[in-house]
Amino acid sequence: MTTTTTPTTTVSPPPVSPRERFKVPGAFLLGAILLVGVAPLVLSDFRLNLLAKYLCYAIVAVGVSLAWGRGGLLVLGQGVFFGLGGYAMAMHLKLADAAATGQTLPDFMQLYGTGDALPWWWQPFANPLFALAMTVLLPMAVAALLGFLVFRRRVKGAYFAILSQALAAALSIWLIGQQATTGGTNGLTGMQGFFGYDLSDPVNQRMVYFVIAAVLLLLMAAARQLFVSRYGELLVAVRDSEERVRFLGYNPANVKLVAYVVAAGMAGLAGALFVPAVGIISPALIGIVPSIGFVIGAAVGGRASLVGAVLGAIAVAWAQSTLSDAFPAAWTYLQGLLFVLAVGFLPGGLASLGVVLRRRRPRIRTTPTGETA
Amino acid sequence: MTVVLNQSFTGISIGAVLLLIALGLTLTFGQMGVINMAHGEFIMAGAYTTYVLQKSISGAGLSLLVALPVAFLVAGAMGALLEWLLIRRLYTRPLDTLLVTWGVSLMLQQLARDIFGAPNVQTAAPDLLTENIPVGGAITLANNRLFILGLALLCVLGLTIVLRLTPLGRRIRAVVQNRDLAEVSGIATGRVDRMTFFIGSGLAGVAGVALTLVGPIGPTMGTNYIVDAFLVVVVGGIGQLKGSVITAFVLGVLQSVLEYSTTVSVAKVVVLVAIVAFLQWRPQGLYTLRTRSLA
């Protein structure tokens, strides 16, 4: 140890100054005002409830933007985490409903006649705090386990996407198979109350909407902080060149794991909020097809842009509900086409349309600005 | 004992179906790193080809035999078209091909719904294939399952011959091993890609013909098999026929034995856990090409 000791130099901070970091983008502010201020005033109860549902998908999209847009992790199994969060919440609400009417078992269990005892794994969900914690912790734990095993062995790219998708398939098949304790294909439906509030009351439905909108805005703000942090830089670096990051002394597995787990937690929270807003959670909402659906919105809107991903998720969910009722066939073609065009020819999604057009324009007008995109 | 044998036979026949589907996938996946989610819809195309042919050709046996080459050509042409239209533009972004081809698969499913209607349809199996061979005591071997097993093995044999003994196969293997080196050696990699897609997708069409013997034909039939087939490819090692063959039969038997001792849904979960555990041991799959590339 006679070599010259180099002083441990502090790593330079990310190229985002504190003032810039906490600057609130205009688009975000406008969106917040529209969501919290304008929408509840101008929309009917029915439309507001639909919007609440779309916002749940938007919350998933925040996580997708983090894991896929920033981290390059194609998360095809978000349905798993959405479902775990949703079922955790629904189990508590079912138990609370049953308790309110003096029953010990949720209605569907009485119907299928599984005996008098509540399954052991249902019992803790009677506790509201436990159930609430589980809506986020359970998805995060599952993601942490799978992510740890997969990333540690450098299973990546397509392999990871397929494994996460297989997990979604396995969970939905398992849920369908355990009809007596999970409600099977029907899932858990007919929730009456939400922590003591009557869900059929429109006033309480508005409250649920406000909760969902607030969670979405908070998570978007948190995700933005994560994007501009050193971790955010590292995540992009791993996406672009995992080997270089490894040679610099970081462990890419941990970086990816954090993104995957956080995205899973967001999807779980979205699932939990989806249940009081829509009143159902079932295997049909969380299998392979819906899991890819969670990615579609973000891809169309722009996976790398947070606002783009969120708006894309809302727009695609809206288009799905309105168009699929009126023209089911046309919607499926449109959905496929949107996907082919957005991912294949506009990888940045609609959010990058402006940039793409701006880049094209100088070629025609030949303005000698020398600006690089 | 008879239960074990019967379950093993069921497992082997599940494995044969998986193998037929995975053969084409491992070829296209290995070639360009492309994940073709529309592969399931090429299976569907093969199945509907059988259905259409059966309406025009009398005699279930004859139409089945005609369907095999025709379905290969139909599905193969669809695959080559897909490669030419979309995939060749995307092969620097392999992950995105998964999503693009998913979009294609949505459209193809809807197309099938518009042409053939949403409800499942059925074809009549030839008499010979509806019978069972009793093999000593309680064990019976269903003829249709044996036919699928034979077809799967024939496809493996055919593909091996093409890959090992023909100039095209030599080019395909060269591109799988090292695309850049193959290109500078004068191989028209673009043309090889399209041929690979033609063969791989054609095999999906053949799988579709086989599936008409064991189940209904419907617009979503491909989705039911695609994830399992991808798992076979991942576990077997990409582009490795040997790996796919072993994995397909092992997973098939595992699935069938677990289904017997637990339930279908638990079996699925256990198989997935087993796969993740296996990847801890061999993250690159059962067989891999030795390369000097990182990771």
Side-chain angles (χ1 to χ4, degrees):
Chain A
M1 290 299 188
T2 52
T3 50
T4 50
T5 52
T6 47
T8 49
T9 49
T10 51
V11 181
S12 62
V16 179
S17 68
R19 190 187 298 171
E20 203 178 327
R21 171 183 288 200
F22 292 108
K23 204 177 70 181
V24 180
F28 180 77
L29 210 60
L30 184 71
I33 292 170
L34 280 176
L35 275 186
V36 183
V38 181
L41 290 178
V42 298
L43 292 179
S44 66
D45 286 338
F46 174 71
R47 301 248 165 234
L48 198 67
N49 186 240
L50 274 182
L51 184 59
K53 180 175 154 185
Y54 306 155
L55 294 187
C56 290
Y57 294 138
I59 293 174
V60 183
V62 174
V64 172
S65 178
L66 170 72
W68 186 33
R70 297 284 157 150
L73 298 169
L74 181 51
V75 282
L76 282 185
Q78 292 307 83
V80 171
F81 309 123
F82 188 82
L84 288 174
Y87 271 91
M89 176 64 93
M91 281 160 75
H92 172 68
L93 297 186
K94 291 304 283 182
L95 287 176
D97 283 352
T101 53
Q103 307 275 346
T104 50
L105 290 182
D107 46 10
F108 74 91
M109 284 192 194
Q110 295 163 10
L111 192 68
Y112 300 133
T114 50
D116 300 326
L118 197 63
W120 61 267
W121 51 276
W122 268 73
Q123 280 162 11
F125 286 91
N127 181 338
L129 284 180
F130 177 83
L132 272 183
M134 278 301 126
T135 61
V136 181
L137 293 182
L138 201 59
M140 287 173 92
V142 172
L145 184 66
L146 182 71
F148 174 75
L149 291 174
V150 165
F151 298 138
R152 189 179 61 113
R153 296 298 296 170
R154 303 188 194 176
V155 174
K156 57 184 164 190
Y159 295 84
F160 169 71
I162 289 165
L163 281 175
S164 69
Q165 193 175 31
L167 189 66
L171 180 72
S172 66
I173 292 170
W174 183 79
L175 285 169
I176 292 171
Q178 313 296 312
Q179 183 160 36
T181 48
T182 62
T185 319
N186 299 333
L188 301 177
T189 57
M191 271 59 79
Q192 312 281 324
F194 184 56
F195 296 99
Y197 295 93
D198 180 11
L199 273 179
S200 52
D201 186 348
V203 176
N204 291 337
Q205 275 296 339
R206 282 186 171 242
M207 183 190 73
V208 169
Y209 168 81
F210 278 117
V211 170
I212 293 174
V215 167
L216 173 63
L217 293 172
L218 272 175
L219 287 183
M220 283 179 76
R224 189 180 131 76
Q225 288 308 310
L226 208 52
F227 284 0
V228 297
S229 70
R230 247 186 61 177
Y231 171 77
E233 309 265 316
L234 204 52
L235 186 61
V236 173
V238 169
R239 177 191 70 189
D240 292 342
S241 178
E242 188 169 335
E243 297 308 333
R244 283 189 208 178
V245 175
R246 182 174 289 123
F247 297 152
L248 286 172
Y250 295 96
N251 187 352
N254 293 342
V255 177
K256 293 199 277 190
L257 189 61
V258 170
Y260 185 47
V261 169
V262 170
M266 289 182 181
L269 196 55
L273 292 168
F274 183 85
V275 168
V278 182
I280 183 173
I281 185 81
S282 75
L285 289 164
I286 67 177
I288 295 178
V289 176
S291 287
I292 296 187
F294 285 129
V295 175
I296 295 187
V300 171
R303 61 184 96 154
S305 145
L306 188 58
V307 177
V310 166
L311 285 181
I314 295 174
V316 169
W318 170 80
Q320 175 142 30
S321 347
T322 44
L323 293 178
S324 66
D325 287 343
F327 323 95
W331 163 246
T332 314
Y333 285 124
L334 184 67
Q335 197 183 13
L337 199 64
L338 263 181
F339 223 35
V340 171
L341 294 180
V343 179
F345 298 97
L346 197 62
L350 292 177
S352 71
L353 199 58
V355 179
V356 172
L357 292 179
R358 230 172 291 148
R359 203 188 304 142
R360 290 265 162 87
R361 212 171 292 155
R363 210 184 291 162
I364 307 160
R365 295 188 184 167
T366 57
T367 43
T369 50
E371 189 184 301
T372 50
Chain B
M1 190 59 197
T2 54
V3 168
V4 173
L5 286 177
N6 269 331
Q7 285 301 312
S8 316
F9 177 65
T10 313
I12 286 171
S13 72
I14 296 176
V17 171
L18 278 182
L19 178 58
L20 266 178
I21 299 168
L23 268 185
L25 268 184
T26 191
L27 202 59
T28 53
F29 199 1
Q31 178 86 356
M32 292 160 80
V34 157
I35 307 180
N36 181 14
M37 290 299 280
H39 196 77
E41 277 57 49
F42 297 154
I43 296 170
M44 174 191 79
Y48 275 118
T49 304
T50 320
Y51 173 72
V52 170
L53 282 175
Q54 195 161 69
K55 294 207 143 177
S56 46
I57 301 175
S58 57
L62 182 65
S63 68
L64 190 70
L65 284 181
V66 176
L68 286 172
V70 175
F72 182 85
L73 291 177
V74 169
M78 286 170 73
L81 188 68
L82 178 71
E83 197 275 339
W84 180 68
L85 277 176
L86 288 173
I87 291 174
R88 71 189 168 117
R89 298 164 206 277
L90 287 172
Y91 89 88
T92 51
R93 299 185 279 144
L95 217 49
D96 285 353
T97 59
L98 194 160
L99 298 168
V100 168
T101 51
W102 172 257
V104 173
S105 102
L106 280 179
M107 289 192 276
L108 288 177
Q109 283 179 25
Q110 188 57 40
L111 194 67
R113 235 171 259 136
D114 286 349
I115 297 175
F116 299 102
N120 289 341
V121 296
Q122 210 127 29
T123 57
D127 293 337
L128 186 66
L129 294 185
T130 53
E131 288 159 13
N132 296 332
I133 304 175
V135 185
I139 307 165
T140 52
L141 303 179
N143 276 2
N144 57 353
R145 300 273 177 187
L146 281 176
F147 176 77
I148 293 175
L149 184 60
L151 190 62
L153 294 178
L154 206 65
C155 285
V156 173
L157 188 69
L159 196 55
T160 311
I161 290 173
V162 169
L163 284 180
R164 292 283 149 194
L165 301 179
T166 65
L168 174 68
R170 208 155 46 235
R171 284 189 216 113
I172 290 176
R173 282 185 291 138
V175 176
V176 170
Q177 283 185 22
N178 192 328
R179 173 172 291 271
D180 295 336
L181 202 53
E183 184 135 26
V184 295
S185 309
I187 293 175
T189 54
R191 201 179 306 158
V192 174
D193 285 340
R194 203 152 319 133
M195 274 314 287
T196 312
F197 253 79
F198 179 76
I199 298 173
S201 310
L203 287 171
V206 173
V209 178
L211 285 179
T212 62
L213 293 172
V214 289
I217 305 161
T220 55
M221 64 184 290
T223 328
N224 301 335
Y225 293 98
I226 191 80
V227 174
D228 286 343
F230 269 123
L231 289 178
V232 170
V233 175
V234 168
V235 172
I238 289 175
Q240 300 292 307
L241 288 192
K242 218 175 358 176
S244 295
V245 174
I246 295 172
T247 311
F249 287 120
V250 168
L251 286 188
V253 171
L254 190 65
Q255 173 88 25
S256 141
V257 169
L258 283 169
E259 270 177 26
Y260 181 74
S261 46
T262 58
T263 62
V264 177
S265 52
V266 173
K268 282 267 179 207
V269 177
V270 175
V271 167
L272 180 67
V273 170
I275 288 172
V276 173
F278 171 81
L279 289 178
Q280 299 303 302
W281 174 50
R282 288 187 82 95
Q284 308 300 330
L286 202 53
Y287 290 97
T288 40
L289 281 173
R290 288 183 184 280
T291 66
R292 287 173 188 275
S293 73
L294 290 162

